[in-house]
Amino acid sequence: MRTQQQSDNCLKELREIISGLGADTVAISEEVLKMPEFRSWSACSFPEGHHYGDGGLIQHTMEVVSLCVINGYRSNAFGNKEVNQKVLVLAALFHDIGKIYDYFCHFYSNGTTEWRPALHKRTIHHISRSAIFWSKAVERTGLCKDIEEDVLHCILSHHGQREWGSPVAPHSREAWILHLCDGLSARMSDCDRVDLIKIKQ
Ligand SMILES: [Fe+2]
Ligand SMILES: [Fe+2]
């Protein structure tokens, strides 16, 4: 079980990373960072899934943002096209925010809780909702219009292929880095807790 302190630490770390990316990035990031649900929500609706439980969403998001920053800088040395760090970090920050519609917390009378899937997961899904959330943030703040579609592409393609829930496959460097770092964070969480081969048997 994660603590409130761990979520607060993740929030602090995210704000530190984002602070170096310019005033417009800092301001639009608050659309996610200021939400109480972002700090408390689970990133999954079944216990064997990655980052299940209270505070899982902010923990996973912090890991993905951190991995994207490191890999984004390192990837600048590959080929002749630079990675846009603003696009990459904003896409990583917003990529799973739609999960606050996909899951809800059920409270039992004995005081225990359980995260469950909501109808939204089946009818809309967090990828579409995260994309809507990002576009509304751009519209509401009037910021980052020049990179709106680049970030949108990263969010929409972050599961990698249609069979895994993405309407489009990654096409840009930023989209590929987000997809791969998303998977890395998820697999590191899995291997700490479960053996995927045993689940599939
Ligand atoms: Fe996702
Ligand atoms: Fe994710």
Side-chain angles (χ1 to χ4, degrees):
M1 182 63 89
R2 293 173 201 86
T3 63
Q4 184 62 45
Q5 186 60 52
Q6 285 173 302
S7 291
D8 290 346
N9 291 343
C10 288
L11 193 65
K12 194 170 165 229
E13 204 162 325
L14 282 166
R15 284 204 166 106
E16 271 172 26
I17 293 169
I18 291 160
S19 68
L21 292 171
D24 54 346
T25 309
V26 170
I28 203 164
S29 294
E30 285 301 316
E31 297 288 306
V32 168
L33 300 176
K34 71 184 179 188
M35 296 175 70
E37 295 92 339
F38 177 57
R39 273 173 256 184
S40 63
W41 232 247
S42 175
C44 196
S45 58
F46 49 100
E48 62 273 24
H50 78 88
H51 300 88
Y52 173 84
D54 298 5
L57 179 59
I58 192 169
Q59 171 79 37
H60 170 60
T61 305
M62 186 276 290
E63 291 174 8
V64 176
V65 168
S66 302
L67 289 166
C68 281
V69 168
I70 294 163
N71 286 286
Y73 280 123
R74 295 297 297 167
S75 300
N76 273 333
F78 312 154
N80 56 6
K81 204 171 173 193
E82 283 205 356
V83 172
N84 185 319
Q85 288 286 347
K86 273 191 191 183
V87 169
L88 185 53
V89 168
L90 285 170
L93 180 66
F94 281 76
H95 85 283
D96 272 346
I97 192 62
K99 285 187 173 183
I100 65 174
Y101 294 81
D102 272 356
Y103 319 131
F104 69 94
C105 192
H106 178 78
F107 294 85
Y108 288 101
S109 53
N110 65 3
T112 59
T113 59
E114 182 182 72
W115 287 92
R116 294 180 176 178
L119 179 62
H120 179 277
K121 186 181 176 189
R122 175 65 182 83
T123 57
I124 310 291
H125 195 258
H126 75 266
I127 294 184
S128 313
R129 184 62 65 180
S130 298
I132 293 167
F133 196 98
W134 162 249
S135 285
K136 281 189 175 173
V138 172
E139 194 181 306
R140 191 162 41 241
T141 61
L143 300 168
C144 298
K145 286 186 174 165
D146 57 326
I147 55 169
E148 179 179 357
E149 298 218 340
D150 293 334
V151 174
L152 196 55
H153 168 65
C154 296
I155 293 170
L156 289 171
S157 64
H158 83 260
H159 281 200
Q161 51 186 277
R162 288 194 175 140
E163 291 78 4
W164 298 339
S166 272
V168 287
H171 184 64
S172 63
R173 284 171 177 247
E174 294 83 3
W176 272 112
I177 293 169
L178 174 59
H179 168 56
L180 295 168
C181 292
D182 187 35
L184 182 53
S185 164
R187 297 297 79 76
M188 293 302 98
S189 170
D190 287 341
C191 78
D192 285 345
R193 295 167 303 99
V194 293
D195 187 338
L196 286 185
I197 289 178
K198 284 184 182 161
I199 289 174
K200 284 170 186 165
Q201 280 173 341

